[in-house]
Amino acid sequence: MSRLAEIERDALRARAADGEAGVLRFITAGSVDDGKSTLIGRLLHDTRQILADQLAAVSRASQKRGHDDVDLSLLTDGLEAEREQGITIDVAYRYFATARRKFIIADTPGHEQYTRNMVTGASTADAAVILADAEKGLLPQSRRHLCIASLLGIRHIVVAVNKMDRVAYAQSVFESIRADFSAFAQRLGLKNVQYVPVSALRGDMVVDRGDALGWHAGPTLLEILESIEPGRGDTSQPLRFPVQLVQRTGRGRAYLGRLQSGRVSAGDTVVAFPSGRRVRVSGVHVHAGELDEAQAGDSVALTLGEEIDLARGDLIAGVEDAPRLVQQFDATLVWLSAEPLVKGAGYLLKSGTRTVRARVSAFGEQIDVQTLEARPAAARIALNDILRVTITAQQPLALDAYRVNRAGGAFILIDEVSNQTVAGGMVA
Amino acid sequence: MSAATALAERPPTVAAQGLRSHLDWLEAEAIFILREVAGECENPALLFSGGKDSAVLLRLAEKAFRPARFPFPLLHIDTGHNFPEVITFRDQRAHELGERLIVRKVEDSIRRGTVRLRHPLQSRNTAQSVTLLEAVSEFAFDAAIGGARRDEEKARAKERVFSFRDQFGQWDPRNQRPELWDIYNPRIHAGEHVRVFPISNWTELDIWQYIAREHIELPSIYYAHDREVVSRGGMLHPVTELTPPRAGEAIETRRVRFRTVGDITCTCPVASNAANPAEILAETASATVSERGATRADDQTSDASMERRKREGYF
């Protein structure tokens, strides 16, 4: 083992002793041409997630295609159809772990149905790694990636300027691309954007620093990903607890669910929606016993000080900054279906654990996915279109503005006839 | 020494105030998914094979629903090519939990003529799909909860958590429902069903860490034991009635364990001295060959063999 590797190992150990940082979910956005698959392959390979038989399979496939080197991008091309076409057609999930934390990558494709797939991957992501090609800089598709990341409220964005080996690792190229991205990100109001020059092909600044980018003093891509704090925002938000199930037990009724945001302890006063009743929490339970406190992300059972009428689909919320109880509201819709959106037609709307009938009662402006600028809506709303709408629901819903609370302001629309998920929605 | 080893060497942690480990996160997500199945589906079943992933599923179901009973029966599709220790474990576990266990046999599908084999000792992994679909239709199950993980195989990496199956039980990888946030869409028409994978986001390492942390019991053959094997094609093949040695092959007794426990005719053990979860974790973290690559003779046939089987309704 080299001296550098030893230092790295010791550093990893030291951090592991401090406590593990849980799970980070991130998306990778970019096209095949940006070297996205190679970058993911590089992350997996250099964090030693790739086992001998997997590497051997990739190496056989590389030879079959006439590559001299092992083509790391082949590690992540999942389905037969994709391998034939050499493109990624659907969101694929990859996993790797370091001593610091576990990572879940949503690998979103770059070509057809791009918006649909990136929105899907972005919806669960804490961070986005957006690839730029050092030879090409800020492209229309880069703008699209930043816009979708902004629209879906991803808190941490990392722009990885790839293929630095093709531009002789020139600092000026990196700086100029950074300036372009930065200007655009500012227009979108994106904060927390970090930049890192990399060569996925050669491995520089992805996991190992390499020696070609010595002028860059910042952290490697992996170090950035290891240092992002994912859940903080959710825990500091007010309590949102959609009731999944009601259970009758020896100690009365228990309400089962997972905290979308906030915290809850026994003794807290909460408010139940849609009834609006205030009630005291008498206990926070898990299988092993009682908890002092549950926080965003925990699956628990709550018992309440008095029996109130509360069922699946209802919401238990903090008294402060309670959600709005509404039947008509404005939202941004991302249309995900090949069938066009029909104004006035009935859809099922699911938000949290609540499903109600709803219709899109008015079309507002359409959003340009490359600028986030609004323009008049097209006559026909088709796959991948993003649109401001007014939604009218048959029953009241307790909702948050998506910008303030992601989980409390997210919903999907389901076509009742085909049962397809036709739209993702974000409450304005 | 890999980064993964460092993670594996860490002692299991109890969730302290404000601090959640990756296992806590995975557990909470899986419990949420199991409860969504219970809340949304009329008549689900949980597939329990006696293998380690489904043993983990049972523990998660206890955490999701106890003190109440599970809102679904357990279903085992029995290939008839079993390791006896696994069947004993299956029955014992169902008994301890006091939950209903339904067993449906590939043997019966063969008798009915819905499964046809080229030769009697052929692997029944593929044939399981037929028997599973027959059971889904017999009991009108609208959801089958399984312990598949996305890290197992490339074709699984794109599987949804709630994965739609048409009337023929087929998976259409090119036309999956978009799955946004944690808002799942389990809606189906009569005759269709969904497969639900609560541990989609777990890796083999996560599974073993959880088994260690939760002291989950497993069939004994997951741990090192002496077994008669023959070496063939770079793998150790168990010598059993169903898998006799071929002419000229020398039987040897080796210290081995199984990393997966599928159809006996195509599941191979690996040489190992690991006698408990902690020792397996150390081995897993430094493993050089993937779980399926090391142990499933049938996945070696083609890079795309899993995807083909899945399209045909395989789990």
Side-chain angles (χ1 to χ4, degrees):
Chain A
M1 187 185 286
S2 72
R3 180 72 195 119
L4 185 62
E6 275 175 39
I7 293 168
E8 281 172 350
R9 184 199 58 192
D10 293 343
L12 285 173
R13 281 211 174 134
R15 269 179 293 169
D18 291 340
E20 184 210 317
V23 173
L24 184 84
R25 303 190 71 155
F26 68 95
I27 57 166
T28 50
S31 72
V32 176
D33 314 324
D34 301 328
K36 178 172 61 80
S37 297
T38 308
L39 181 76
I40 295 172
R42 174 61 66 187
L43 270 173
L44 300 181
H45 180 266
D46 288 5
T47 53
R48 290 124 184 111
Q49 315 291 316
I50 306 304
L51 300 170
D53 59 321
Q54 296 166 323
L55 202 58
V58 165
S59 148
R60 277 198 304 276
S62 306
Q63 280 169 7
K64 221 153 80 182
R65 293 181 173 203
H67 300 303
D68 292 336
D69 297 334
V70 173
D71 182 353
L72 289 177
S73 73
L74 296 176
L75 281 169
T76 61
D77 288 340
L79 301 173
E80 223 172 328
E82 285 172 21
R83 283 199 295 279
E84 280 158 15
Q85 295 168 23
I87 57 158
T88 319
I89 50 168
D90 202 344
V91 187
Y93 295 88
R94 322 276 173 206
Y95 304 87
F96 70 101
T98 64
R100 177 87 177 130
R101 61 162 43 130
K102 175 184 169 87
F103 295 92
I104 301 176
I105 311 175
D107 179 12
T108 58
H111 292 293
E112 268 175 89
Q113 306 208 340
Y114 191 82
T115 301
R116 169 181 150 138
N117 287 314
M118 185 170 165
V119 165
T120 301
S123 69
T124 53
D126 308 303
V129 174
I130 294 174
L131 264 99
D133 182 333
E135 287 185 303
K136 294 180 187 150
L138 181 75
L139 295 173
Q141 66 173 22
S142 321
R143 292 200 176 91
R144 196 165 56 184
H145 299 154
L146 288 167
C147 286
I148 293 174
S150 159
L151 196 69
L152 272 287
I154 295 182
R155 291 194 190 93
H156 304 273
I157 292 170
V158 185
V159 176
V161 180
N162 190 27
K163 301 195 184 177
M164 288 302 293
D165 52 301
R166 298 268 196 92
V167 295
Y169 296 101
Q171 183 173 5
S172 58
V173 172
F174 171 70
E175 295 300 347
S176 128
I177 292 173
R178 165 150 72 180
D180 291 347
F181 269 80
S182 182
F184 189 71
Q186 216 155 21
R187 268 174 54 199
L188 301 178
L190 284 170
K191 293 171 197 129
N192 297 327
V193 186
Q194 299 189 65
Y195 298 85
V196 59
V198 303
S199 166
L201 189 70
R202 305 276 161 226
D204 301 298
M205 286 302 283
V206 180
V207 173
D208 299 319
R209 295 195 74 87
D211 42 25
L213 289 162
W215 48 262
H216 185 74
T220 63
L221 177 60
L222 181 66
E223 285 166 345
I224 294 173
L225 295 171
E226 285 190 319
S227 64
I228 288 172
E229 299 208 14
R232 272 281 161 82
D234 296 328
T235 305
S236 59
Q237 293 279 335
L239 171 69
R240 297 292 180 265
F241 182 83
V243 175
Q244 290 187 277
L245 295 169
V246 182
Q247 213 174 53
R248 286 172 191 286
T249 68
R251 53 177 190 247
R253 281 188 213 161
Y255 302 93
L256 313 188
R258 188 181 191 194
L259 279 79
Q260 288 178 331
S261 61
R263 305 163 178 276
V264 67
S265 307
D268 288 357
T269 299
V270 293
V271 54
F273 286 94
S275 72
R277 287 271 311 263
R278 286 190 176 209
V279 62
R280 203 179 50 82
V281 174
S282 61
V284 180
H285 312 266
V286 291
H287 183 250
E290 266 196 68
L291 291 182
D292 292 338
E293 183 191 67
Q295 67 179 43
D298 292 349
S299 282
V300 297
L302 299 183
T303 48
L304 301 178
E306 53 186 307
E307 303 249 311
I308 60 169
D309 187 21
L310 202 56
R312 174 174 169 84
D314 292 352
L315 180 78
I316 292 174
V319 172
E320 302 289 323
D321 299 311
R324 291 178 297 152
L325 190 65
V326 289
Q327 231 170 311
Q328 192 170 71
F329 59 94
D330 292 337
T332 303
L333 271 195
V334 181
W335 195 251
L336 305 171
S337 169
E339 300 286 316
L341 166 62
V342 180
K343 184 156 56 179
Y347 294 97
L348 291 173
L349 181 156
K350 187 175 179 190
S351 172
T353 56
R354 190 171 184 80
T355 305
V356 300
R357 267 209 183 79
R359 60 196 162 82
V360 179
S361 44
F363 285 11
E365 291 162 313
Q366 204 168 325
I367 309 293
D368 185 324
V369 74
Q370 276 171 34
T371 60
L372 284 193
E373 277 159 13
R375 54 182 156 82
R380 185 188 153 96
I381 298 304
L383 179 65
N384 294 326
D385 283 349
I386 300 172
L387 182 73
R388 294 207 175 110
V389 295
T390 303
I391 290 193
T392 306
Q394 220 169 47
Q395 280 116 35
L397 290 152
L399 295 172
D400 288 291
Y402 184 85
R403 290 219 155 269
V404 180
N405 189 325
R406 277 173 96 185
F411 63 90
I412 59 170
L413 293 184
I414 300 167
D415 181 316
E416 266 189 287
V417 177
S418 68
N419 284 331
Q420 278 289 338
T421 303
V422 292
M426 289 152 285
V427 177
Chain B
M1 143 99 199
S2 72
T5 318
L7 191 61
E9 281 170 358
R10 300 192 52 226
T13 52
V14 179
Q17 196 83 343
L19 200 72
R20 300 289 184 269
S21 73
H22 71 291
L23 291 181
D24 298 325
W25 189 91
L26 290 168
E27 178 187 78
E29 182 192 48
I31 291 171
F32 172 77
I33 293 164
L34 285 167
R35 289 170 173 174
E36 279 302 280
V37 179
E40 292 270 5
C41 302
E42 295 286 325
N43 188 25
L46 184 146
L47 292 161
F48 177 53
S49 63
K52 69 179 191 315
D53 297 318
S54 59
V56 165
L57 269 190
L58 288 187
R59 171 55 53 90
L60 294 164
E62 287 184 86
K63 295 204 176 196
F65 303 112
R66 290 291 188 246
R69 292 195 54 178
F70 294 173
F72 36 68
L74 315 181
L75 171 64
H76 181 222
I77 302 305
D78 180 351
T79 61
H81 288 174
N82 301 306
F83 295 97
E85 295 88 344
V86 178
I87 296 302
T88 308
F89 172 79
R90 176 198 75 186
D91 293 341
Q92 176 203 325
R93 202 67 197 100
H95 178 75
E96 283 165 3
L97 287 166
E99 299 291 345
R100 178 175 169 221
L101 172 70
I102 298 168
V103 178
R104 284 295 175 269
K105 301 184 168 184
V106 172
E107 206 64 54
D108 292 328
S109 303
I110 295 172
R111 213 165 293 138
R112 278 193 291 272
T114 47
V115 163
R116 290 185 303 157
L117 300 171
R118 269 178 309 163
H119 61 86
L121 289 187
Q122 186 186 330
S123 156
R124 294 177 178 179
N125 258 352
T126 316
Q128 271 183 92
S129 326
V130 174
T131 312
L132 170 60
L133 294 177
E134 287 172 348
V136 164
S137 134
E138 176 188 350
F139 293 95
F141 289 130
D142 56 357
I145 303 163
R149 309 188 319 264
R150 287 177 180 146
D151 86 317
E152 280 179 74
E153 213 276 339
K154 276 182 184 175
R156 291 209 195 271
K158 307 198 167 188
E159 181 90 59
R160 302 294 190 257
V161 173
F162 278 68
S163 188
F164 176 77
R165 294 294 184 279
D166 68 14
Q167 288 198 318
F168 301 95
Q170 308 245 326
W171 180 59
D172 180 0
R174 304 215 51 162
N175 191 26
Q176 300 194 78
R177 290 178 183 172
E179 198 160 70
L180 287 87
W181 298 287
D182 55 0
I183 311 175
Y184 300 114
N185 170 9
R187 297 186 66 86
I188 51 163
H189 293 296
E192 301 165 345
H193 70 283
V194 287
R195 303 275 169 92
V196 185
F197 304 110
I199 56 170
S200 284
N201 285 326
W202 299 46
T203 61
E204 187 187 10
L205 193 60
D206 297 327
I207 290 285
W208 279 111
Q209 287 172 334
Y210 194 71
I211 287 167
R213 183 179 99 169
E214 301 286 320
H215 306 291
I216 294 172
E217 233 185 285
L218 295 181
S220 57
I221 60 173
Y222 274 110
Y223 302 111
H225 58 285
D226 291 325
R227 180 177 287 272
E228 290 194 334
V229 295
V230 297
S231 277
R232 186 187 307 148
M235 290 193 188
L236 300 175
H237 290 252
V239 175
T240 68
E241 264 177 49
L242 288 167
T243 55
R246 291 176 189 168
E249 282 180 337
I251 299 178
E252 44 182 336
T253 300
R254 298 276 296 270
R255 192 116 186 110
V256 298
R257 68 177 170 91
F258 287 90
R259 283 173 75 180
T260 64
V261 293
D263 184 313
I264 204 166
T265 63
C266 63
T267 305
C268 300
V270 293
S272 169
N273 285 313
N276 56 50
E279 289 173 16
I280 287 177
L281 273 172
E283 274 190 16
T284 303
S286 57
T288 56
V289 178
S290 72
E291 187 175 79
R292 282 188 171 268
T295 63
R296 292 295 178 92
D298 56 337
D299 284 346
Q300 304 276 310
T301 37
S302 134
D303 207 16
S305 58
M306 170 72 89
E307 184 188 342
R308 290 208 188 99
R309 274 186 288 151
K310 273 177 65 65
R311 283 203 213 127
E312 290 156 11
Y314 182 71
F315 218 81

